[in-house]
Amino acid sequence: MEFSVVLLVGGGGSRLHPVVVEQGRPKALLPVCNRPLIFYQLFMLEQAGFDQVVVVASDSTSAAISSYLAQFYSQDQTVVEMRTRNRREPALRIESLEDGIGTADALRAVLHLLKGDHVVVVSGDTVTNVSLNELTDLHRVSDADLTMLLKEEKPEHAARSDVFDFVGIPVSRLKPKTLTEIVLFESSVDVEEALKISRSILRHKCEISIRTDLSDPHIYVFSRPVLDILHSRKSISSIKYQLVPFLIRNQFKLKSSSTMLTPTLKASNRASDENELGPLSCRAWIVPPQVYARRVNTIASFLETNREVAGGAVPGALPKKFPLREPFGERSTVSADSIIGSDVRMGDRSSLKKSIVGDHCSIGNNVKITNSIIMDHVTIADGCQVAGSVVCENCHIQSRCTLRDCQVGESVTVAEATESKGEDFTKKDEGDDLFY
């Protein structure tokens, strides 16, 4: 087995409040086009043909995630058809770790389970149509120790982001369908006044292009020497903010090791042969803007991902479209880029545009829903307008409400004739601090 796979799904989703709350639904089970977010990573991994996946959850989320995998994922019609076609069913192993630990800590905790020469690490909030086979092939033929996926953003998208990454690439090294050397990677949140570039980098690479239009979808491929480094450096807690910058900053100082980790990790000391071996190789695969890769880590990205997946951004991943339950309203319309779950009723003269509606929902007369996500068992009474909003399960929106850019938490009733913009409706304030 050449590649091991780790899927990190322990994230609590603090920036998704109140859609995700402490002790409630895990971020990994947030619905994207009426399928849990974790479905899209597993779908991608199964398409790539990986035989085993270590799914790392937190103690507070592992039971719900395990239940979904056991009871629903394997029975999903798309999954059944894919496994029948591929004649392969990967082994999914769930590992539960304490809440609040970092992504590098989580990876370190499961090193003893990873038998391959390389490990693919995928974030539990990433949705993409990237070919992992192409990424791993490029990693292998380039003999890289670190390969990270980077997506080139369109100028208008890059300009909207308050948080971005500084990425340093040697001038004239970027070629299509190949990996490029990466000599600088720092998040803007970690840069106070000026970028610091190590002298070892400058000695090796005189001309460097600094880019801020590349997003990091949190898909990495590491070789065994990197896992050795991670095992020995317990102070490294985060993959993105600590491990990756550390490797890139020190790649011409660190020495690559051929030492393989044993299942008991007894052979992870690199010091004995580091003077005989060359530097680490840190590479990036930069994909163009038309490649789809997005992280679901804010309310805005949650809404955008639902709309984009509904529009076909991830081929083959859309669930079956259900018809409206009869009798459905006269002169009511549903746009082609909307998704409707099973057992949905819609009254007269209502419209649904660029929106997702879950199972067992009731939509009254003269209701307008635009650019919104309506989860399961929601009732929206007559005369309501819902735009750019998320309405969680078991909510009741009473008549003549107008909600714009709002988030309605689970089991909330919004009072009749409420008019609100940019407001959170919750039963109580809750937060979270889970790893990722």
Side-chain angles (χ1 to χ4, degrees), residues 11-12 18 115 152 165 243 247 293 309 426:
K115 312 302 183 184
E152 187 175 8
D165 298 313
L243 178 60
L247 295 172
V309 172
T426 60

Side-chain angles (χ1 to χ4, degrees), residues 324-398:
L324 289 168
R325 182 172 176 178
E326 294 186 4
F328 49 83
E330 296 181 357
R331 291 184 285 174
S332 290
T333 59
V334 177
S335 66
D337 51 4
S338 293
I339 301 290
I340 294 178
S342 64
D343 190 30
V344 174
R345 299 170 181 265
M346 180 179 286
D348 297 338
R349 297 178 298 280
S350 293
S351 65
L352 185 70
K353 297 180 180 178
K354 296 183 177 180
S355 296
I356 316 297
V357 177
D359 298 336
H360 312 296
C361 291
S362 177
I363 299 170
N365 301 319
N366 297 300
V367 174
K368 312 298 180 187
I369 302 175
T370 308
N371 292 324
S372 295
I373 299 170
I374 313 298
M375 298 187 193
D376 299 343
H377 299 282
V378 170
T379 299
I380 302 179
D382 297 346
C384 289
Q385 296 185 38
V386 181
S389 299
V390 179
V391 182
C392 294
E393 293 96 333
N394 302 305
C395 288
H396 184 192
I397 313 299
Q398 296 183 346

Side-chain angles (χ1 to χ4, degrees), residues 134-196:
E134 192 167 358
L135 176 63
T136 53
D137 285 346
L138 288 169
H139 175 84
R140 184 194 303 109
V141 300
S142 299
D143 197 24
D145 292 297
L146 157 67
T147 298
M148 62 187 306
L149 178 69
L150 294 174
K151 180 192 173 184
E152 187 175 8
E153 297 289 351
K154 295 178 180 179
E156 60 270 25
H157 292 163
R160 286 188 319 193
S161 180
D162 295 329
V163 178
F164 55 89
D165 298 313
F166 293 100
V167 181
I169 298 169
V171 173
S172 303
R173 294 295 179 91
L174 181 58
K175 299 178 181 179
K177 298 291 184 179
T178 62
L179 300 183
T180 183
E181 292 178 87
I182 181 168
V183 297
L184 174 73
F185 185 80
E186 298 287 345
S187 172
S188 60
V189 300
D190 293 326
V191 177
E192 297 180 358
E193 296 181 355
L195 281 173
K196 297 179 180 180

